[in-house]
Amino acid sequence: MERIAAMKCLPLAAALLASAPAFAAPPPLKLFGQLPTVGKITLSPDGKRYAAIIGSDSAPQLQVRTTADNKVLSVTPAEKQKLRSLSWVGNDHVIATISNSYTASGAERREQYRLVALNVAAGGKWRELPASNVFGTPQALVRNGVPMLLSLGWHYYTDVPTLSLFMIDLSREGRFLIEKGGPDTIDFVTDSNGQPVARADYGSQTKEWRLLLKGKNGYQRVYSEVAPVDLPNLLSFGRDTSTVMFGSRKSGDWQDFEMTLADGSVAPAPADYAGDAVLLEPQTRTVIGTTSTGLEATSYRFLNPADQALWRGIAKAFPGERVGLESWSNDRKTIIVEVEGPTNGLALFTIDRTKGTVEYLADRYEGIGPELINPVTAYRYKAADGLEIPAYLTLPKGRPAKALPLIVLAHGGPEARDSPGFDWWAQALASRGYAVLQPQFRGSSGFGAALRDAGHGQWGRKMQTDLSDGVADLVTKGIADARRVCMVGASYGGYAAMAGVTVQQGIYRCASAVAGVSDLKRDLAGLNRSDAGRRSVAMRFWQRFMGARSADDPALDPISPARLADRVSVPLQLIHGKDDAVVPLEQSQLMRDAMAKAGKPVEYLELPGEDHWLSSPATRIAMLEAQVAFLERHNPPN
């Protein structure tokens, strides 16, 4: 089915959107629960084609189209596979990373990542590449005119798996080993010919991260630091291929450094590299710019003055709206941007600088125009101890911001964050008449070291009261009705929803937890049994947030909802994907059983075939419909 609209000139698109009729009744939840009509989208290096992950009712599709006239060149359903990334190798080959859940030893669910490829010029079908399990994003390169792909994978040497570097020749579909890693290898940096120039090793027991430079006599260590939890990370080359960039938190907050390949010297990166993430030139993997995401918007800074001037011009073309770079051709003549705001809603546009045109491509979500998008405000409030908490507040369109029913939507992680702009879950709830508060509680990332580090040891403690302090602030200002507040969330947010009616009482009228952790001891014990073990980085990470000395620390009991089920006095809903490889299904089952033992009612829903990220359209919609029905019964919005 054609899911991308035929191109329209910008004035026509604006006119059509402006004339769209208002909905008398709330729009169907399916509009918000669907996968994005256009997910990942990327241009070929010459800009003549684009590849996109297209949502559908049953499973996403991989589509390849011509940029000039939107002609379909290839369509393939992903069926039961989940599409994770998409990239080009030259102008003819498209590579996608797919994943599926499987049962490992001990009935543990895991996610496996593989690669599929399409040769557009040959008109062939998508085929799986000879890489049984890949790690990270594969790197594309063209060597002597031959399309190649670099990927990390396991190499078994004397039955000991080591993370190693493999090359796949797309013209012959052959896969061969480029570089065998050491027992502690976690990453490589390779040049434009696919040859490794540096690698990173980490000893989980020694807690030492090492950067090694490859020379004529093998690898030589040029830098190391002790990092119990926050491992430095290899980023890319620098402005050119004479340096390699890596990030480190040894100073307290993340900082970029450059290693000079000629002599192995290490120094802080130039100030113009500062930002949350680097933008790379695909073939050389050199830095062309950075992005920084604040509370209200994402800003772009390019190292090349011509790129910076071009971006300023693009942003000016959409006044009063947020503009994000999706993809551009190597010569910058063809560009795809995402535009979000009151005029265009959330839409994609194609810019053709040769023709001097800006053309509408598609809405990000089919059927959700600007008339259906509820306003989102960057919001700040003070926690009880005075710490400022950034947040997002989504208000239902057409209702005065006075004594509204409120949903607190807590993000996962917990060292993560929400982003400015459209959030499908918050928008779905607001479409029903709820105000939605998304606090960036202490422990969240993206707002500086002080806020993030303030969460250490505060799992279920101040991280939890940060959420209810936001409720109190909205009630004091008259925006929310204290008698009509519920909490929802997924992953850590699912834990917070359960903790809101166990660790805390008397604040929330109901709670709905998706894929939440309910028993912290059992969660850490499961990690103990896994390959990582009790001395792993993952164990140290969770212990740091939970404030636990060990997996059986008694301090975990007072903040474990499954051990406090007898305190629940309001309706509770539990939802969990059966294929979750991050938070085991057992965690929701433990809470369900604890509620039954305490004689407490609970609504329980398992989503067949669903993972931790709600990747499947049917089950994501099922989650949203079940949750909204639960909220409307126990916290009616009208």
Side-chain angles (χ1 to χ4, degrees):
M1 183 174 66
E2 298 262 335
R3 297 298 299 272
I4 296 182
M7 292 184 176
K8 311 177 187 74
C9 291
L10 180 57
L12 176 59
L16 290 173
L17 293 171
S19 63
F23 279 77
L29 285 171
K30 182 179 179 179
L31 292 181
F32 301 98
Q34 66 181 319
L35 294 179
T37 306
V38 183
K40 172 70 175 177
I41 184 168
T42 180
L43 285 161
S44 59
D46 63 8
K48 294 181 179 179
R49 300 161 174 161
Y50 68 83
I53 298 176
I54 308 299
S56 73
D57 293 340
S58 57
Q61 300 174 349
L62 290 166
Q63 292 192 11
V64 180
R65 295 182 178 229
T66 56
T67 308
D69 57 9
N70 231 17
K71 179 183 177 182
V72 177
L73 300 177
S74 172
V75 177
T76 181
E79 297 177 346
K80 295 184 179 180
Q81 309 299 336
K82 290 165 282 190
L83 301 173
R84 302 302 187 187
S85 69
L86 200 60
S87 60
W88 286 85
V89 184
N91 294 308
D92 293 328
H93 295 266
V94 184
I95 306 299
T97 303
I98 62 175
S99 76
N100 67 289
S101 303
Y102 71 100
T103 302
S105 59
E108 180 184 6
R109 297 298 293 176
R110 293 186 180 178
E111 200 77 8
Q112 183 180 46
Y113 296 83
R114 307 190 312 281
L115 301 173
V116 293
L118 170 71
N119 185 344
V120 181
K125 296 181 179 180
W126 288 88
R127 65 191 189 279
E128 186 168 338
L129 295 177
S132 60
N133 199 359
V134 297
F135 298 85
T137 303
Q139 179 182 339
L141 62 94
V142 178
R143 189 170 66 179
N144 298 323
V146 178
M148 300 282 190
L149 197 67
L150 291 172
S151 70
L152 292 173
W154 291 119
H155 173 67
Y156 289 85
Y157 179 72
T158 63
D159 296 328
V160 178
T162 59
L163 195 62
S164 301
L165 187 64
F166 292 88
M167 178 87 76
I168 300 172
D169 183 337
L170 296 178
S171 65
R172 297 181 299 173
E173 299 186 30
R175 176 178 183 258
F176 50 93
L177 180 68
I178 290 290
E179 188 86 2
K180 185 171 74 70
D184 295 333
T185 297
I186 58 174
D187 205 356
F188 289 92
V189 173
T190 57
D191 62 21
S192 59
N193 286 317
Q195 296 305 307
V197 297
R199 84 178 194 211
D201 290 0
Y202 182 73
S204 184
Q205 308 300 316
T206 64
K207 308 174 187 175
E208 183 185 45
W209 186 87
R210 303 180 295 277
L211 178 59
L212 300 97
L213 177 64
K214 188 173 184 181
K216 294 180 179 179
N217 299 317
Y219 285 94
Q220 177 183 1
R221 181 167 63 180
V222 295
Y223 175 85
S224 66
E225 68 174 80
V226 175
V229 178
D230 300 304
L231 275 61
N233 53 87
L234 282 177
L235 298 172
S236 63
F237 288 105
R239 190 187 297 262
D240 56 42
T241 56
S242 67
T243 63
V244 167
M245 286 184 63
F246 67 94
S248 169
R249 253 200 83 185
K250 68 176 183 178
S251 64
D253 207 350
W254 286 105
Q255 181 181 1
D256 292 338
F257 292 85
E258 278 191 317
M259 177 189 69
T260 302
L261 294 177
D263 59 11
S265 61
V266 173
D272 55 0
Y273 286 10
D276 297 335
V278 293
L279 298 168
L280 302 178
E281 195 284 319
Q283 178 72 13
T284 63
R285 305 285 293 174
T286 53
V287 176
I288 61 171
T290 63
T291 64
S292 296
T293 301
L295 184 61
E296 298 185 12
T298 296
S299 60
Y300 290 77
R301 182 164 65 175
F302 295 94
L303 303 183
N304 186 325
D307 286 343
Q308 190 65 42
L310 171 60
W311 186 251
R312 283 197 301 268
I314 291 172
K316 287 181 180 179
F318 301 93
E321 300 192 291
R322 278 187 289 266
V323 183
L325 176 63
E326 290 290 309
S327 183
W328 58 15
S329 58
N330 285 353
D331 62 6
R332 312 295 196 260
K333 297 296 185 182
T334 308
I335 306 166
I336 296 177
V337 295
E338 179 188 81
V339 180
E340 180 178 2
T343 301
N344 291 294
L346 185 64
L348 296 169
F349 287 82
T350 303
I351 300 170
D352 187 327
R353 296 178 64 211
T354 300
K355 295 180 181 178
T357 59
V358 178
E359 298 183 312
Y360 166 84
L361 179 61
D363 285 336
R364 181 69 87 177
Y365 286 83
E366 186 177 43
I368 302 180
E371 76 284 352
L372 293 186
I373 297 179
N374 300 281
V376 184
T377 303
Y379 191 79
R380 294 175 174 85
Y381 62 89
K382 290 291 182 69
D385 62 0
L387 182 66
E388 184 176 83
I389 305 298
Y392 296 102
L393 179 62
T394 304
L395 296 174
K397 213 168 190 179
R399 296 186 65 168
K402 183 177 179 181
L404 290 169
L406 175 66
I407 306 297
V408 178
L409 173 55
H411 67 67
E415 193 173 318
R417 61 164 293 172
D418 295 304
S419 298
F422 183 92
D423 181 296
W424 65 269
W425 198 344
Q427 287 292 327
L429 297 173
S431 76
R432 270 44 205 167
Y434 298 106
V436 183
L437 179 67
Q438 295 173 274
Q440 310 307 295
F441 46 84
R442 69 190 72 205
S444 299
S445 61
F447 299 97
L451 182 70
R452 180 191 59 237
D453 295 350
H456 296 169
Q458 296 303 318
W459 181 300
R461 303 175 184 95
K462 289 185 178 182
M463 285 168 61
Q464 189 69 29
T465 57
D466 284 348
L467 304 173
S468 50
D469 288 341
V471 174
D473 185 79
L474 291 174
V475 170
T476 299
K477 292 175 179 174
I479 297 173
D481 183 345
R483 300 166 298 174
R484 295 194 293 165
V485 184
C486 289
M487 189 192 291
V488 305
S491 196
Y492 176 81
Y495 163 83
M498 288 185 279
V501 296
T502 52
V503 178
Q504 296 177 299
Q505 295 95 40
I507 300 168
Y508 304 103
R509 185 168 171 171
C510 62
S512 176
V514 180
V517 177
S518 66
D519 189 321
L520 304 188
K521 282 185 176 178
R522 287 287 288 270
D523 187 53
L524 293 184
L527 188 59
N528 252 344
R529 292 192 299 269
S530 71
D531 296 339
R534 62 186 177 86
R535 296 182 180 178
S536 67
V537 175
M539 180 64 77
R540 292 192 287 268
F541 175 86
W542 296 119
Q543 286 179 301
R544 181 171 73 177
F545 267 105
M546 295 177 185
R549 295 184 302 273
S550 64
D552 58 357
D553 192 328
L556 297 174
D557 291 341
I559 55 173
S560 290
R563 297 174 186 258
L564 307 171
D566 59 329
R567 297 185 184 181
V568 178
S569 59
V570 297
L572 174 63
Q573 182 184 50
L574 305 173
I575 303 174
H576 213 124
K578 296 185 73 172
D579 286 348
D580 196 325
V582 178
V583 176
L585 176 63
E586 172 198 42
Q587 286 291 326
S588 286
Q589 294 172 334
L590 287 168
M591 189 66 190
R592 176 200 61 189
D593 296 345
M595 291 286 286
K597 185 176 180 180
K600 306 284 185 175
V602 63
E603 292 191 24
Y604 179 80
L605 174 64
E606 290 184 3
L607 302 174
E610 188 52 86
D611 59 22
H612 189 68
W613 306 281
L614 297 171
S615 301
S616 302
T619 44
R620 187 159 105 168
I621 293 169
M623 181 285 293
L624 196 55
E625 291 178 340
Q627 185 175 82
V628 168
F630 171 84
L631 294 172
E632 290 181 335
R633 283 196 306 274
H634 301 295
N635 189 23
N638 299 309

